[in-house]
């Protein structure tokens, strides 16, 4: 494996230069990339002085400071400048306070344990020995003689000179990293606006800009960036100071620190600064660069009231950025998580007040890159990476690109589009060769995932599913990707989708409330259990699942088929697809001797029972969509296989089901693919240049720039549901209604099914106490239809509740409540900000929450006490461009003919249609995957992937 460099360092501040200096004797060819100029003041290295101290409230931090001293001594030998002036360190104030810097008493305890010498001081003794005045009499502190002031400028120059004079170190400034690709061949490629560089090892030390770099891996760290002010005050007397820090309440206005006079920074002046953020940022671009007048005034008031020998007017003011971790870690040092290619060869450092450790951290980072280990204990600084990439939005492009030419343009970043992109860049032909195609994916949304959307409500580590939420283990493509491919590549963790216990679930139908186990109990006890539906005698006391199964079994048996034999066949899907084409309805009446695929499911159910029984099936089944008048032949395997079979095993992914698509997207990006969001396809046309190999020109509307742009492509894959197809230009050569009537007829073979979800967050899982439920669903004929008891955060009691999962005719009930005042997230033990609207999903309106809570209380009855929720979310999948949450085949269509036709409507064109809508597993991710897999094999001649059972049936 040949690369341009052995090691690349991103970030040329103190830590990057220290690491480079340490590598100067390693013989490793090393490149340092700095996005600004070296010695800039735009990040954590701004300012000329830093404090050195060995006292810490944590033993491991104090030990790290002690361990750094020999490395400072070694570095000192490389320069005539004094790097640390050991003037000592003074801490004083309220000994009970613990701050970002630690606390006085805790630091004393650690110094005693490590036998670090220090002198305890009262307020009176501090005023006697140092130029402070009017301190509260109960203030207390200590002086530690090893503390001092770091000449940061001299330190940076020394490190730079060591690196710059070394033959194996190359320093490049004004090289902002624009992309990083870490591929499974072991090569890491770092690109800037000017060029690209390859390396075996990568060290990331960009300080406050850490997430700008980690975004290229689909990662971020949980940090706050403090912009902090500092000032110098003119001496009016000849005073001598150590470095110092005062601990006081309230901490947001009363923490200050300072330095002695130094000859390298404004001689005749002394630096004093508030240890208070002017602003807490999430991105360095938010930096103002202007000191806060409020912070400076607090600072000057402290100087005026408690310091001797200084003018109280602030001069030479400035700001700097400090990166602080939100997970109680002083520093962050780690390799990337295991699911990133070459993760052990990519080392990350960021966070904290770390100038005192500069040469030691350079040693640690260099050793990690060269040997993979360090003798120093860095275990307290491990980064809490997510279990898997839950967020890659910062790697998605929103930009246009001139003269973009693609082998394949995929429109739609949902299941079928992402799977198509993944297979095109990973698949091989019959000779084992990859296709080497240039593939791009486009989506009008600001995210990927289509109708999968996993979210976390504030204050709880429980995933809520606004879209699809589970898969069945007999669905082999999605199962293999999750449980074999991505469990290894990305550490995806498949888990059982909890269905709960019917003993603790409710039905509430026609104002009759009963436990869901009453139907099964009646079978055992022989009880004559009746609902408030006037069903036929033979169906009395039976559940909707039992009735569905009985009716379907009767229709099959009347035409010579056995439901039991079909379901028990190892090739059940193939058998069903044979039966669906031939099955005849053999009962007297209006449908006698009709092929079942020509009959509507409602028609058939009513004919085999009654309209009253049909109402029971529609209400008690939980989904109106299951009983609409769709293709009865398609409904049969769906009802007895997906929803009415106790043998079905549902699973999902820890951390959210949409991660299966996130992993597809990430792998696609790592293989060189680009995903452009916020780009809506308006139309496409044939290229007027007949000599061009790029046969099509696609016109996109960029939602950010609000203008159109064009992309040329050889092939187009439309990974889109029916409604999205209808929203495209219907007058172009492909969709023209006058000339392409067959396409429109087949497009209309499916019905989009409205779907709506409302999620609520509660401080406690009231359903456990009141109902005994741990998971699963309760069902009602109220417009809320179904509720799911989703789960409880294992670290606290905050709990997630799917308050309404409704479809078809009830969706319009909730749509009327979407507008108006939003339900405000309220304060809980963990959610501090009142009335906060979180931006990543849509909050329900106040009236919607009030209405659904009224129905939830009616469903559960007066005996169960239900508190108010503290937060909400909702999703209406009926809205464009989706048109519905899932689809159903209409009757009278030969699905076995429509499916292959819709994949490739015109043989003379290289335009394909993929997605769940025109599949034989509608409503499932697997349906979208199977359609896309057909296209991959039939139109791109890819072999079945090695991770998939070669005999797996992917449908018509």
């Amino acid at each position: 494996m040949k690369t341009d460099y052995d090691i690349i360092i991103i970030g040329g501040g103190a830590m990057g230069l220290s690491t480079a200096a340490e590598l100067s004797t390693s013989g490793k060819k090393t490149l340092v990339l700095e996005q600004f100029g070296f010695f800039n003041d735009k990040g954590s290295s701004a300012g000329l002085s830093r404090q050195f101290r060995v006292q810490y409230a944590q033993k491991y931090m104090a030990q790290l400071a002690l361990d750094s001293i020999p490395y400072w001594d070694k570095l000192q030998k490389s320069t005539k400048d004094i790097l640390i002036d050991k003037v000592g360190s003074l801490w004083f104030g309220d000994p009970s306070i613990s701050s970002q810097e630690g606390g006085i008493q805790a630091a004393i305890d650690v110094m005693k344990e490590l036998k670090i010498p220090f002198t305890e001081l009262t307020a009176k003794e501090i005023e006697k020995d140092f130029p402070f005045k009017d301190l509260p009499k109960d203030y207390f502190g200590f002086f530690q003689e090893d503390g001092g002031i770091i000449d940061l400028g001299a330190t940076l120059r020394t490190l730079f000179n060591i690196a710059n004079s070394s033959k194996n170190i190359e320093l490049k400034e004004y090289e902002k990293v624009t992309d990083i690709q870490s591929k499974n061949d072991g090569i890491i490629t770092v690109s800037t606006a000017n060029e690209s560089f390859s390396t075996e090892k990568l060290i990331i030390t960009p300080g406050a800009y850490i997430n700008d770099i980690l975004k290229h891996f689909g990662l971020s760290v949980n940090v706050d960036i403090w912009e902090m002010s500092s000032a110098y005050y003119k001496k009016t007397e000849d005073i001598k100071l150590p470095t110092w820090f005062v601990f006081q309440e309230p901490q947001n206005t009363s923490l200050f620190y300072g330095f002695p006079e130094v000859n390298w920074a404004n001689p005749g002046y002394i630096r004093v600064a508030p240890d208070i953020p002017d602003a807490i940022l999430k991105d360095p671009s938010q930096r103002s660069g202007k000191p806060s007048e409020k912070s400076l005034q607090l600072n000057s008031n402290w100087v005026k009231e408690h310091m001797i020998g200084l003018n109280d007017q602030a001069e030479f003011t400035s700001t700097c950025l400090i990166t602080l971790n939100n997970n109680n870690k002083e520093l962050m040092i780690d390799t990337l998580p295991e699911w990133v290619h070459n993760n052990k060869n990519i080392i990350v450092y960021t966070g904290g007040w770390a100038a005192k450790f500069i040469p030691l951290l350079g040693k640690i980072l260099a050793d990690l890159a060269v040997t993979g280990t360090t003798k120093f204990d860095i275990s307290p600084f491990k980064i809490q990476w997510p279990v898997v990439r839950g967020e890659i939005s910062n790697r998605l492009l929103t930009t246009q690109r001139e003269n973009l030419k693609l082998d394949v343009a995929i429109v739609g970043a949902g299941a079928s589009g992402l799977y198509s992109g993944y297979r095109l860049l990973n698949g091989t032909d019959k000779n084992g060769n990859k296709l080497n195609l240039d593939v791009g994916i486009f989506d009008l949304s600001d995210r990927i995932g289509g109708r999968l959307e996993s979210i976390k409500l504030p204050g709880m580590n429980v995933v809520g599913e606004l879209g699809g939420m589970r898969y069945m283990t007999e669905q082999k493509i999605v199962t293999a990707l999750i449980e074999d491919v991505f469990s290894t590549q990305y550490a995806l963790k498949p888990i059982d989708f909890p269905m709960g216990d019917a003993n603790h679930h409710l039905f509430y139908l026609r104002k009759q409330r009963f436990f869901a186990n009453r139907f099964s109990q009646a079978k055992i006890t022989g009880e004559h259990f009746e609902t408030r539906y006037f069903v036929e005698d033979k169906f009395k006391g039976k559940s909707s699942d039992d009735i569905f199964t009985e009716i379907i079994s009767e229709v099959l048996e009347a035409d010579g088929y056995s439901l039991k034999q079909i379901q028990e066949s190892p090739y059940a899907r193939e058998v069903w697809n044979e039966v669906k084409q031939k099955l005849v309805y053999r009962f007297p009446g209006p449908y006698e001797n009709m092929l079942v695929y020509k009959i509507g499911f409602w028609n058939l159910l009513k004919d085999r029972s009654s309209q009253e029984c049909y109402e029971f099936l529609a209400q008690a089944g939980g989904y109106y969509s299951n009983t609409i008048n769709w293709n009865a032949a398609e409904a049969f395997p769906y009802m007895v296989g997906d929803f009415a079979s106790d043998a079905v095993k549902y699973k999902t992914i820890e951390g959210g089901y949409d991660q299966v698509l996130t992993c597809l997207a990430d792998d696609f990006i790592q293989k060189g693919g680009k995903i452009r969001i916020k780009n809506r396809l308006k139309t496409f046309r044939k290229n007027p240049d007949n000599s061009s190999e790029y046969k099509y020109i696609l016109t996109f509307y960029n939602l950010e720039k609000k203008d159109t742009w064009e992309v040329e492509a050889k092939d187009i894959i439309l990974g889109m549901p029916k409604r999205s197809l209808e929203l495209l230009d219907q007058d172009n050569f492909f969709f023209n209604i006058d000339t392409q009537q067959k396409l429109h007829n087949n497009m209309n073979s499916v019905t989009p099914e409205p779907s709506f979800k409302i999620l609520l967050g509660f401080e406690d899982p009231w359903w456990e106490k009141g109902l005994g439920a741990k998971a699963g669903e309760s069902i009602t004929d109220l417009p809320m239809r179904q509720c799911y008891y989703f789960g409880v955060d294992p670290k606290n009691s905050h709990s997630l509740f799917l308050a309404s999962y409704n479809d078809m005719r009830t969706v319009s009930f909730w749509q009327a409540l979407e507008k108006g005042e939003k339900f405000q997230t309220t304060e809980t033990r963990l959610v501090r900000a009142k009335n906060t609207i979180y931006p990543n999903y849509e909050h329900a309106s106040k009236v919607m929450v009030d209405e659904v809570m009224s129905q939830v209380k009616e469903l559960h009855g007066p005996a169960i006490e239900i508190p108010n929720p503290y937060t909400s979310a909702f999703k209406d999948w009926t809205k464009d461009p989706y048109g519905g949450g899932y689809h159903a085949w209409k009757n009278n269509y030969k699905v076995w003919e429509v499916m292959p036709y819709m994949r490739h409507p015109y043989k003379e064109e290289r335009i394909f249609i993929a997605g769940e809508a025109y599949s034989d597993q509608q409503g499932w991710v697997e349906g979208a995957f199977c359609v896309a897999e057909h296209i991959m094999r039939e139109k791109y001649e890819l072999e079945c992937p090695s991770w998939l059972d070669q005999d797996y049936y992917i449908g018509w």
Side-chain angles (χ1 to χ4, degrees):
M1 179 176 62
K2 182 173 176 54
T3 57
D4 301 329
Y5 295 91
D6 299 311
I7 300 170
I8 291 178
I9 300 169
I10 299 175
M15 299 312 164
L17 289 176
S18 178
T19 306
E22 186 66 33
L23 289 168
S24 64
T25 58
S26 69
K28 299 292 184 181
K29 187 178 180 183
T30 301
L31 171 66
V32 181
L33 297 172
E34 167 56 45
Q35 66 172 322
F36 306 114
F38 290 107
F39 316 114
N40 71 79
D41 61 357
K42 298 182 184 295
S44 306
S45 298
L48 301 174
S49 305
R50 294 291 188 275
Q51 291 193 3
F52 179 84
R53 60 179 166 96
V54 295
Q55 69 267 19
Y56 272 92
Q58 303 83 11
K59 179 180 177 181
Y60 60 83
M61 290 298 291
Q63 186 61 58
L64 197 70
L66 294 172
D67 289 340
S68 74
I69 293 175
Y71 292 92
W72 278 110
D73 294 341
K74 177 183 176 183
L75 186 61
Q76 182 63 69
K77 294 176 183 178
S78 299
T79 180
K80 293 180 180 179
D81 294 324
I82 301 301
L83 300 182
I84 299 180
D85 186 2
K86 292 195 174 181
V87 294
S89 176
L90 172 68
W91 275 17
F92 64 98
D94 184 344
S96 67
I97 290 176
S98 177
S99 75
Q100 290 279 356
E101 293 288 336
I104 295 172
Q105 188 57 54
I108 288 174
D109 294 341
V110 170
M111 288 191 291
K112 287 180 178 178
E113 184 177 357
L114 293 177
K115 296 183 171 51
I116 298 172
F118 66 96
T119 302
E120 295 187 21
L121 299 168
T122 63
K124 186 175 182 180
E125 289 170 328
I126 292 169
E127 292 178 346
K128 174 178 176 294
D129 295 338
F130 304 100
F132 295 99
K133 66 180 181 181
D134 299 331
L135 300 178
K137 290 184 171 47
D138 60 347
Y139 274 21
F140 171 79
F142 62 82
F143 178 79
Q144 205 292 312
E145 62 185 11
D146 294 314
I149 181 170
I150 301 170
D151 183 343
L152 187 59
T155 301
L156 292 173
R157 288 193 300 272
T158 302
L159 295 169
F160 179 89
N161 291 335
I162 293 171
N164 197 41
S165 62
S166 301
K167 294 182 179 180
N168 64 311
I169 308 292
E170 185 177 353
L171 304 173
K172 286 181 175 285
E173 58 186 355
Y174 303 107
E175 290 281 2
K176 183 176 181 178
V177 172
T178 58
D179 191 31
I180 303 173
Q181 296 289 329
S182 181
K183 299 183 178 180
N184 57 7
D185 59 3
I187 296 176
I188 303 165
T189 303
V190 180
S191 299
T192 69
N194 300 315
E195 52 188 318
S196 294
F197 314 93
S198 60
T199 184
E200 294 180 31
K201 307 287 182 71
L202 180 64
I203 302 174
I204 299 172
T205 61
Y209 297 86
I210 182 64
N211 285 330
D212 286 350
I213 301 302
L214 290 180
K215 72 181 182 182
H216 299 297
F217 302 97
L219 291 166
S220 63
V221 288
N222 186 18
V223 294
D224 285 332
I225 301 168
W226 285 19
E227 183 173 15
M228 303 181 71
S229 294
S230 180
Y232 284 82
Y233 295 83
K234 187 175 179 61
K235 288 173 58 178
T236 59
E237 300 178 26
D238 185 20
I239 58 173
K240 301 294 182 184
L241 276 165
T243 60
W244 58 272
F245 193 100
V246 60
F247 296 82
Q248 304 178 113
E249 291 284 9
Q251 293 189 37
N252 64 343
T253 61
S254 304
L255 298 178
F256 304 98
Y257 65 100
F259 301 81
E261 178 187 7
V262 293
N263 59 11
W264 67 77
N266 305 314
Y269 291 78
I270 284 178
R271 181 182 171 201
V272 181
D275 193 37
I276 304 162
D278 296 349
I280 299 178
L281 318 175
K282 281 300 180 184
D283 189 278
S285 65
Q286 299 169 335
R287 180 184 186 178
S288 71
K290 297 179 180 180
S292 161
E293 292 184 9
K294 178 182 177 182
S295 295
L296 291 180
Q297 188 58 57
L298 291 169
N299 204 46
S300 294
N301 290 345
W302 163 261
V303 171
K304 181 178 181 178
E305 294 171 9
H306 297 293
M307 297 193 73
I308 295 171
L310 294 180
N311 188 308
D312 60 14
Q313 295 300 308
E315 300 185 56
F316 307 114
T317 61
S318 62
T319 67
C320 70
L321 300 180
I322 299 296
T323 307
L324 299 176
N325 184 266
N326 280 331
N327 293 323
N328 299 316
K329 293 180 182 290
E330 297 80 7
L331 309 172
M332 288 182 281
I333 308 171
D334 208 345
T335 56
L336 292 190
E338 62 181 8
W339 36 263
V340 176
H341 295 315
N342 314 304
N343 69 300
K344 294 298 183 184
N345 293 334
I346 304 174
I347 300 104
V348 176
Y349 164 79
T350 192
W353 280 278
K356 57 191 71 65
F357 309 114
I358 287 172
L360 175 59
L361 288 173
K363 168 66 173 173
I364 290 171
L365 294 171
D367 285 349
L368 289 173
V370 174
T371 68
T373 60
T374 177
K375 66 179 182 180
F376 300 98
D377 181 15
I378 60 172
S379 59
F381 314 128
K382 291 289 187 182
I383 297 174
Q384 292 176 299
W385 299 115
V387 174
V388 71
R389 287 179 174 84
E391 174 59 63
I392 65 165
S393 62
N394 49 15
R395 301 179 68 202
L396 307 176
L397 304 176
T398 59
T399 54
Q400 306 171 8
R401 180 180 149 189
E402 291 186 12
N403 301 316
L404 179 58
K405 293 179 170 62
L406 298 170
D407 292 309
V408 186
I410 300 173
V411 184
S416 61
L418 293 171
Y419 183 82
S420 297
Y422 173 83
R423 286 284 281 126
L424 288 171
L425 296 192
N426 282 280
T428 57
D429 62 20
K430 62 183 179 181
N431 297 317
N433 299 318
K434 291 193 173 182
L435 302 184
N436 295 319
L437 298 175
D438 192 356
V439 183
I441 299 177
F442 303 83
D443 200 286
L444 68 81
S445 175
D446 60 357
R447 65 176 187 89
I448 64 165
R451 283 165 287 160
L452 297 191
E453 186 172 3
S454 307
I455 66 168
K456 288 185 180 179
L457 298 182
M460 68 175 78
N461 192 32
V462 181
V463 174
E465 303 289 2
L466 290 174
M469 55 189 179
R470 57 194 177 186
Y471 64 97
M472 298 185 290
T473 51
E474 60 263 35
Q475 295 171 336
K476 297 302 183 183
I477 297 180
V478 67
T479 300
L481 283 172
I482 293 169
E483 301 186 10
D484 298 327
V485 181
F486 294 152
S487 65
T488 300
Q489 185 176 354
Y490 293 109
L492 276 194
K493 184 177 179 182
I495 57 174
D496 290 338
F497 183 87
M499 296 301 292
D501 183 348
N503 293 312
H504 302 286
H505 299 161
L506 292 173
F507 277 100
Y508 182 65
L509 305 171
R510 291 185 176 173
K511 287 189 170 291
Q512 180 187 15
R513 186 180 298 109
F514 55 92
F515 281 102
N517 65 349
R518 286 293 298 276
F519 294 114
S520 58
Q521 284 181 343
K523 290 181 183 178
I524 298 171
T525 63
E527 172 193 8
H528 190 65
F529 173 65
E530 291 192 15
T531 64
R532 292 177 180 174
Y533 293 84
F534 299 99
V535 300
E536 290 68 26
D537 287 345
K538 68 175 183 177
F539 294 139
K540 286 181 178 179
K542 294 182 178 179
S543 70
S544 58
D545 288 348
D546 289 338
I547 297 173
F548 279 129
T549 301
E550 186 170 331
I551 290 174
I552 291 168
S553 183
E554 285 178 352
V555 174
L556 288 167
E557 288 178 6
D559 199 34
Y561 297 98
S562 164
L563 176 60
K564 184 174 185 294
Q565 288 180 359
I566 295 173
Q567 294 294 79
E568 291 179 354
S569 168
Y571 309 103
R573 280 191 63 213
E574 293 98 315
V575 175
W576 269 119
N577 277 358
E578 287 293 323
V579 172
K580 285 188 291 187
Q581 298 178 60
K582 304 172 183 177
L583 183 62
V584 176
Y585 192 74
R586 301 293 187 182
F587 299 93
Y591 315 112
E592 186 174 10
N593 295 325
M594 283 181 61
L595 289 162
V596 171
Y597 79 83
K598 293 187 176 184
I599 305 173
F601 195 39
W602 180 0
N603 302 140
L604 186 146
L605 291 173
K606 176 185 173 297
D607 194 64
R608 293 309 306 141
S609 57
S610 61
Q611 181 59 27
E612 179 71 356
C613 185
Y614 170 81
E615 287 297 332
F616 172 71
L617 295 174
Q619 304 286 4
Y623 299 89
Y624 288 129
S625 54
N626 287 348
T627 53
I628 64 169
N629 218 21
W630 63 306
N631 187 308
E634 292 299 316
F636 277 17
Y638 189 82
M639 295 309 303
V640 297
D642 296 356
F643 286 91
S645 173
D646 293 334
V648 172
K649 185 173 180 60
Y650 296 110
K651 301 184 79 172
T652 188
I653 304 170
E654 184 177 81
Y657 186 39
D658 68 0
Q659 289 175 109
V660 64
L661 302 190
T662 304
C663 291
L664 287 172
D666 182 81
D667 187 276
F668 175 75
I669 292 171
Q670 288 221 37
K671 297 296 192 306
K674 304 293 184 186
I675 301 177
R676 285 180 163 82
I677 58 173
K678 296 184 180 180
N679 279 284
R680 176 172 61 85
L681 178 64
K682 289 173 63 69
T683 189
F684 50 89
R685 66 185 189 275
K686 293 186 178 182
N687 194 333
D689 181 359
N690 293 328
S691 64
S692 174
E693 61 181 332
Y694 298 94
K695 190 175 179 180
Y696 308 107
I697 298 176
L698 298 89
T699 302
F700 289 95
Y701 179 78
N702 185 280
L703 277 67
E704 283 197 344
K705 291 195 172 182
K706 295 182 170 54
D707 64 2
T708 58
W709 64 297
E710 294 184 338
V711 176
E712 295 183 37
K714 298 176 183 177
D715 294 2
I716 299 174
I717 297 177
L718 301 173
M720 307 167 76
K722 178 190 178 187
R723 179 57 183 160
S724 295
L725 294 173
E726 292 173 341
L727 291 171
L728 297 177
D729 173 18
Q730 299 294 293
D731 291 325
N732 74 357
F733 74 95
F734 190 81
F735 289 107
N736 188 286
I737 188 64
D738 296 324
T739 60
Q740 310 297 1
Q741 292 180 359
K742 183 177 180 181
L743 173 60
H744 284 273
N745 180 58
N746 282 288
M747 280 176 58
N748 288 325
S749 62
V750 300
T751 299
E753 299 180 304
S755 175
F756 198 103
K757 284 186 174 181
I758 304 172
L759 286 170
L760 298 178
F762 290 88
E763 284 200 65
D764 298 286
W766 52 264
W767 51 86
E768 290 189 0
K769 179 181 178 182
L771 193 59
K774 297 290 186 181
E777 64 184 341
S778 288
I779 295 173
T780 179
D781 56 358
L782 296 172
M784 63 175 281
R785 294 296 282 130
Q786 299 181 75
C787 66
Y788 275 80
Y789 314 103
F790 255 151
V792 183
D793 190 317
K795 295 183 180 180
N796 59 67
S797 62
H798 283 190
S799 307
L800 186 66
F801 179 61
L802 179 56
S804 176
Y805 183 9
N806 64 89
D807 62 358
M808 302 307 294
R809 51 178 141 155
T810 49
V811 168
S812 61
F813 179 93
W814 300 104
Q815 287 174 329
L817 306 179
E818 289 182 14
K819 304 297 183 184
E821 178 188 353
K822 292 295 185 184
F823 180 82
Q824 301 290 323
T825 294
T826 56
E827 189 170 81
T828 73
R829 296 184 298 275
L830 294 179
V831 179
R832 282 181 279 174
K834 289 186 177 180
N835 300 332
T836 300
I837 291 292
Y838 289 75
N840 296 329
Y841 49 84
E842 192 165 4
H843 284 241
S845 67
K846 183 178 182 301
V847 67
M848 186 186 293
V849 173
D850 289 345
E851 175 61 45
V852 79
M853 283 298 297
S854 172
Q855 295 183 28
V856 168
K857 290 177 181 178
E858 183 178 354
L859 162 62
H860 288 85
I864 297 177
E865 185 177 347
I866 303 177
N868 291 325
Y870 74 86
T871 193
S872 72
F874 86 97
K875 191 74 173 188
D876 179 4
W877 292 105
T878 311
K879 294 179 179 179
D880 288 340
Y882 304 104
Y886 20 81
H887 297 80
W889 288 104
K890 295 178 180 177
N891 65 305
N892 259 318
Y893 281 90
K894 297 179 179 179
V895 176
W896 55 95
E897 293 180 359
V898 177
M899 280 181 57
Y901 172 84
M902 288 301 296
R903 291 196 295 269
H904 192 190
Y906 314 129
K907 303 307 177 187
E908 68 276 13
E909 305 292 349
R910 295 285 297 178
I911 301 173
F912 313 113
I913 297 175
E916 158 271 342
Y918 302 99
S919 76
D920 61 353
Q921 294 190 71
Q922 291 168 318
W924 295 100
V925 169
E926 187 76 358
F929 285 174
C930 283
V931 172
E933 182 63 26
H934 264 297
I935 294 172
M936 295 302 105
R937 298 186 193 182
E938 296 164 0
K939 310 307 175 184
Y940 291 93
E941 298 182 352
L942 292 179
E943 292 292 288
C944 178
S946 59
W947 43 263
L948 181 63
D949 183 348
Q950 306 294 301
D951 295 327
Y952 177 58
Y953 178 66
I954 59 174
W956 284 309

